[in-house]
Amino acid sequence: DAGVIQSPRHEVTEMGQEVTLRCKPISGHNSLFWYRQTMMRGLELLIYFNNNVPIDDSGMPEDRFSAKMPNASFSTLKIQPSEPRDSAVYFCASSFREDTQYFGPGTRLTVL
Amino acid sequence: QKEVEQNSGPLSVPEGAIASLNCTYSDRGSQSFFWYRQYSGKSPELIMFIYSNGDKEDGRFTAQLNKASQYVSLLIRDSQPSDSATYLCAVFTGTASKLTFGTGTRLQVTL
């Protein structure tokens, strides 16, 4: 069974550009989570969806960040405009139970 | 006080020894507890979870939970060089419906 799928795996962009990260959760999982990981701050929850509905977006750092889940098999995290401090690894995770989460391979974002 | 605390390490153990990784948490309402392994440049991989006080064994891994002391640990028996990674402790609190991660302990298994 395929795990969580994320694309792109690496993204290099210039400050001010729009960045869109994509995630396909494990089939049958009804919760989806977006995390950001940096050396300084560790793994931080940005937002999570349950049954395609955003439940908690308190971790979204600024209005420049937005996330959508139009259906059970697809979610996007968008940063517009991007800034160098957004450079991090962004993980998507999914779960059937909210607590037992399985992570995708991540997208390494570099904003120059 | 951090919600989930781990010693950052590195914890260095010789091959074949027992590695003991520890984690404390602040929210007494926490319900479930997880250990993830993360190799450098890779994503966190779920390796153990525990819900009740006591020990839970899976192969070379044993998770231990003491809710009274707000303490959870992971023991790795017969440590192998392939166990060298960062181990993340995660705690789920139902009221917040949130999984909170520690900053991880880096384990080095030496030959």
Side-chain angles (χ1 to χ4, degrees), chain B residues 11-20 60 75-81 83 107-111:
Chain B
L11 172 66
S12 185
V13 299
E15 184 178 6
I18 296 175
S20 178
R60 295 187 296 113
L75 302 178
I76 306 175
R77 290 182 299 281
D78 187 23
S79 295
Q80 302 296 309
D83 295 326
L107 173 65
Q108 293 178 337
V109 180
T110 59
L111 295 173

Side-chain angles (χ1 to χ4, degrees), chain B residues 9-85:
Chain B
L11 172 66
S12 185
V13 299
E15 184 178 6
I18 296 175
S20 178
L21 304 161
N22 305 315
C23 172
T24 59
Y25 59 95
S26 60
D27 189 338
R28 285 195 172 273
S30 298
Q31 298 170 308
S32 44
F33 307 85
F34 301 83
W35 285 99
Y36 285 80
R37 177 177 62 199
Q38 187 173 25
Y39 293 113
S40 180
K42 301 295 185 182
S43 60
E45 175 192 6
L46 179 63
I47 56 172
M48 288 287 288
F49 57 87
I50 186 167
Y51 303 132
S52 305
N53 277 330
D55 295 0
K56 178 182 178 182
E57 186 174 318
D58 184 1
R60 295 187 296 113
F61 299 100
T62 299
Q64 299 176 318
L65 175 61
N66 184 326
K67 289 188 177 181
S69 301
Q70 295 174 242
Y71 178 92
V72 58
S73 65
L74 178 70
L75 302 178
I76 306 175
R77 290 182 299 281
D78 187 23
S79 295
Q80 302 296 309
S82 59
D83 295 326
S84 298

